[in-house]
Amino acid sequence: MRRNLTEAVPDFIWPQDIVLTHYRPELAEAVHQLMEMGYQQGGGRVPALDLWQRRFETDPEYDPSLCFIALDAQGVVGVAQCWTSAYIKNLVVHPRAQGRGLGRALLLHAFNVFQQRREGFVDLKVLEDNVRAQHLYESVGMRVVRRELVPG
């Protein structure tokens, strides 16, 4: 899916009691656990912690300032892991924080950051059967971009 960043990004309010920070290695285990939980609900899988952290922190598109971590009093409740290519790699919200607008706030925050970086678009991938996520993405102005296959 794709969001045109030349269009205005709606204002948003962070849910009460949420603090936003950036990825730091000491948060790796909690972020990894949340991603594992999210992938169980939305399909897919996450490598073991050591492998995931090594791949994440050494990826050429890695920038810790583009990995937005939402915290509440109990710990990590939301992650928007973005790459420097204006790509949202992962978006996960803990079940205890779902339904409060946190996923929407993380997306809109990422859009604002990419606008400030003068990006024209932001992209992400979503499984076709993940209808709940698709509705969220559409509600913030993202549109389906169809893949074009080259005849072989």
Side-chain angles (χ1 to χ4, degrees):
M1 298 187 81
R2 173 170 281 179
R3 172 65 151 79
N4 182 344
L5 295 177
T6 64
E7 299 171 358
V9 174
D11 291 332
F12 63 94
I13 298 172
W14 290 102
Q16 193 171 8
D17 303 326
I18 295 294
V19 175
L20 185 69
T21 191
H22 297 287
Y23 176 81
R24 302 180 303 278
E26 59 268 22
L27 294 173
E29 186 173 357
V31 169
H32 181 264
Q33 287 175 353
L34 180 59
M35 287 192 181
E36 282 185 316
M37 184 183 307
Y39 272 85
Q40 288 171 355
Q41 294 175 354
R45 59 190 162 93
V46 179
L49 174 61
D50 291 342
L51 180 58
W52 170 84
Q53 186 174 7
R54 186 170 52 253
R55 285 181 180 170
F56 176 56
E57 293 177 4
T58 61
D59 191 286
E61 292 199 65
Y62 167 73
D63 178 344
S65 71
L66 293 175
C67 185
F68 310 112
I69 310 293
L71 304 166
D72 70 4
Q74 298 176 50
V76 175
V77 290
V79 175
Q81 176 190 354
C82 304
W83 291 143
T84 57
S85 60
Y87 181 77
I88 299 172
K89 171 79 170 114
N90 288 296
L91 176 71
V92 184
V93 175
H94 194 286
R96 75 172 179 263
Q98 290 177 1
R100 298 178 48 207
L102 180 55
R104 179 181 176 81
L106 284 165
L107 281 170
L108 294 174
H109 177 72
F111 296 169
N112 281 329
V113 169
F114 283 123
Q115 275 184 329
Q116 292 168 5
R117 294 169 77 106
R118 306 191 56 77
E119 295 288 349
F121 297 91
V122 63
D123 295 317
L124 58 74
K125 290 181 184 176
V126 61
L127 295 174
E128 290 180 6
D129 63 349
N130 193 344
V131 177
R132 183 177 179 192
Q134 288 176 26
H135 288 303
L136 170 62
Y137 303 147
E138 289 170 353
S139 78
V140 295
M142 298 195 87
R143 300 292 170 248
V144 172
V145 177
R146 298 280 179 211
R147 294 184 307 177
E148 292 185 28
L149 301 178
V150 177

